[in-house]
Amino acid sequence: MESQGKAKVALTFALYQGEQLIRRDTIAQDIVKVGKDPRSHLRVDDELASRMHAVIEVAWTQDITLIDLGNEPGTLVNGQRVNKCKIRPGDQIQIGSTLIHLESAEVAQAAPPPPVSQRPPPVSQRPPPSAPPPYDGPDRRKRMPVLGLRLRDFDVQQAADYMLTNRRGEEEGVGLFVTPNIQHVALARADADFAAAMKSAQIVVADGFPVYRFARARGLFLPGRITGREVVEDMFSRPERLVGHRGYFVVDSAQTAERIEAWAARTFPGLAVRTHVPDFGFEKDVEACAALVAAINDFDTSLLFLCVGAPKSEVFVYRHRALLRPCWALCVGQSFRLLIGLNTPPPAFVVRLNLEWLWRIAMEPGRMMRRYGPALLGFLHSVAGDLRWNRRKPDTRKGDEQ
């Protein structure tokens, strides 16, 4: 949802318990999180409120939408229970016994400019920038972009260990893990949100062999191809590393959900597990996405596994990154179906020869040919564009020194 211009809208709420005014809050956010969670923008200290009870989307002063996230006892607006509705100043929102009065919606005042003495000197008076430090580790933001992506030089074990041992903090928010192949690169050409999700991901590793080879040709050091299946297998290879984690699995079918729950209960007693099977097209349903976000947050998720394919997995995380609790979100497609035996894995020699794509075509010729044909054309267009951009932006530094 786009706001008009760059101005923020400030909403002022008055919170009451009975006749007593508890406090007033003025909030300038495009998405206002409402609930008992201390991280909520509008905190509701009510025993009947959920940690993430509702969200308010603010497009402009006359375009404000409240969305209930499906928790009991629900949300009332002017005495009527609602799932989603427009609200305006003067409306009363009730959660449990707490009454929230929306008093005003006004364009937020911009901060005054700093005094002249505090302003930075003109560019002509600033010292020349120092040379960038050499590349000193797997920090994606220091690396030269290839195909619009900043690929990290993790191997399989490093990627798995990093996510298991480096829990996301409050200031970091959700961290996205993606494994682009030629289909991802092609889809990003046509889907702006998917492209933005891929570019903003915290860990990007090359899954597709063409992506890996092109990155190497562009000067990046990469230890090898890294598939989502390999990372998941490594994460679950030592149960002791999962102790204390809480895994939320968004999967494609009830069969997958049941098998994952049984497998985890039998093999990983220290891992708390919950599964969810979304309806087809859930990523386009605002209320379904809001309810899923609430369920993920209420579970105190630390590892979010999205097993419903691209681009919906990546786009869901990107669009709801401001609402999701701090966790690692791994977009790993069919990896768990392979791990628990629902899909037939390719033979080892096929993997060694980087011919998994041919194996998939053999398994599902019609569907895979319809997917790989356009994906290959889109990937080649992206390669050509990347090479043109690189010629227009000459840089004498090597890729791994950025």
Side-chain angles (χ1 to χ4, degrees):
M1 183 173 295
E2 299 291 335
S3 58
Q4 295 185 12
K6 295 184 178 180
K8 290 280 189 179
V9 175
L11 305 182
T12 298
F13 300 92
L15 285 77
Y16 293 86
Q17 284 282 352
E19 298 295 325
Q20 182 181 1
L21 174 65
I22 304 302
R23 69 178 192 278
R24 279 188 172 83
D25 287 345
T26 298
I27 303 167
Q29 296 283 339
D30 293 334
I31 299 177
V32 179
K33 295 183 280 189
V34 184
K36 192 185 297 184
D37 194 311
R39 297 186 300 270
S40 298
H41 301 114
L42 183 59
R43 194 180 71 256
V44 180
D45 296 317
D46 191 294
E47 63 180 10
L48 295 180
S50 299
R51 293 182 59 196
M52 184 71 71
H53 198 95
V55 294
I56 298 172
E57 295 184 342
V58 185
W60 195 237
T61 53
Q62 295 86 32
D63 189 1
I64 306 168
T65 305
L66 180 143
I67 302 171
D68 177 74
L69 298 182
N71 304 291
E72 292 298 333
T75 304
L76 305 182
V77 174
N78 300 327
Q80 300 293 318
R81 182 163 181 171
V82 299
N83 292 320
K84 178 180 179 182
C85 72
K86 297 289 186 181
I87 58 174
R88 59 185 180 181
D91 285 342
Q92 294 185 342
I93 305 163
Q94 185 173 347
I95 297 175
S97 60
T98 301
L99 193 64
I100 306 168
H101 182 205
L102 176 56
E103 293 187 330
S104 64
E106 300 175 346
V107 178
Q109 296 296 318
V116 174
S117 61
Q118 298 180 15
R119 295 178 186 173
V123 173
S124 60
Q125 299 178 16
R126 298 178 195 172
S130 58
Y135 178 68
D136 58 2
D139 181 343
R140 72 178 184 89
R141 297 192 184 279
K142 293 181 181 178
R143 310 208 76 194
M144 177 180 68
V146 173
L147 300 170
L149 306 170
R150 294 189 184 271
L151 297 163
R152 296 186 73 157
D153 58 355
F154 280 148
D155 61 25
V156 170
Q157 185 174 345
Q158 287 173 329
D161 285 345
Y162 189 88
M163 288 182 282
L164 289 173
T165 58
N166 292 275
R167 299 204 184 201
R168 302 293 290 177
E170 293 291 340
E171 71 286 352
E172 296 173 307
V174 64
L176 184 60
F177 169 80
V178 295
T179 59
N181 55 31
I182 65 170
Q183 185 189 16
H184 291 79
V185 174
L187 286 172
R189 292 176 54 84
D191 188 325
D193 277 355
F194 183 59
M198 298 292 288
K199 290 178 181 178
S200 67
Q202 279 61 44
I203 301 181
V204 186
V205 293
D207 180 338
F209 185 69
V211 176
Y212 164 70
R213 292 305 307 174
F214 182 70
R216 289 294 300 266
R218 284 288 312 278
L220 286 187
F221 169 75
L222 298 175
R225 286 181 58 214
I226 308 295
T227 67
R229 176 178 60 84
E230 291 172 321
V231 172
V232 164
E233 287 179 349
D234 192 89
M235 293 179 82
F236 285 81
S237 65
R238 285 175 280 167
E240 67 275 8
R241 294 187 299 174
L242 293 165
V243 173
H245 275 288
R246 301 182 66 81
Y248 197 101
F249 295 75
V250 182
V251 298
D252 61 341
S253 68
Q255 180 191 35
T256 305
E258 292 169 3
R259 289 285 291 271
I260 286 176
E261 290 174 359
W263 168 69
R266 182 175 64 251
T267 315
F268 308 102
L271 173 69
V273 168
R274 184 166 296 174
T275 59
H276 174 75
V277 183
D279 292 335
F280 180 79
F282 79 97
E283 72 279 7
K284 300 175 184 177
D285 186 327
V286 173
E287 294 178 18
C289 286
L292 178 55
V293 168
I296 292 166
N297 291 342
D298 285 344
F299 188 60
D300 285 336
T301 302
S302 61
L303 298 170
L304 171 60
F305 297 101
L306 293 130
C307 312
V308 289
K312 63 183 68 175
S313 297
E314 295 82 356
V315 169
F316 168 78
V317 174
Y318 177 72
R319 288 177 178 170
H320 301 90
R321 62 196 184 281
L323 298 176
L324 286 164
R325 62 167 282 109
C327 65
W328 283 107
L330 294 84
C331 301
V332 290
Q334 298 292 300
S335 298
F336 279 98
R337 287 184 62 88
L338 289 164
L339 192 57
I340 60 180
L342 289 177
N343 286 3
T344 303
F349 80 91
V350 171
V351 176
R352 283 197 304 272
L353 296 174
N354 300 295
L355 294 175
E356 293 98 324
W357 58 273
L358 189 58
W359 174 262
R360 296 189 190 104
I361 290 176
M363 293 294 100
E364 300 179 86
R367 188 170 75 91
M368 290 297 106
M369 288 300 295
R370 288 193 299 271
R371 173 185 296 183
Y372 284 137
L376 179 58
L377 291 175
F379 174 73
L380 293 175
H381 276 294
S382 295
V383 166
D386 194 81
L387 293 173
R388 285 196 300 270
W389 180 89
N390 192 46
R391 284 196 293 270
R392 289 198 302 268
K393 303 286 185 181
D395 194 331
T396 59
R397 292 172 295 176
K398 293 182 180 180
D400 279 343
E401 294 176 346
Q402 298 190 48

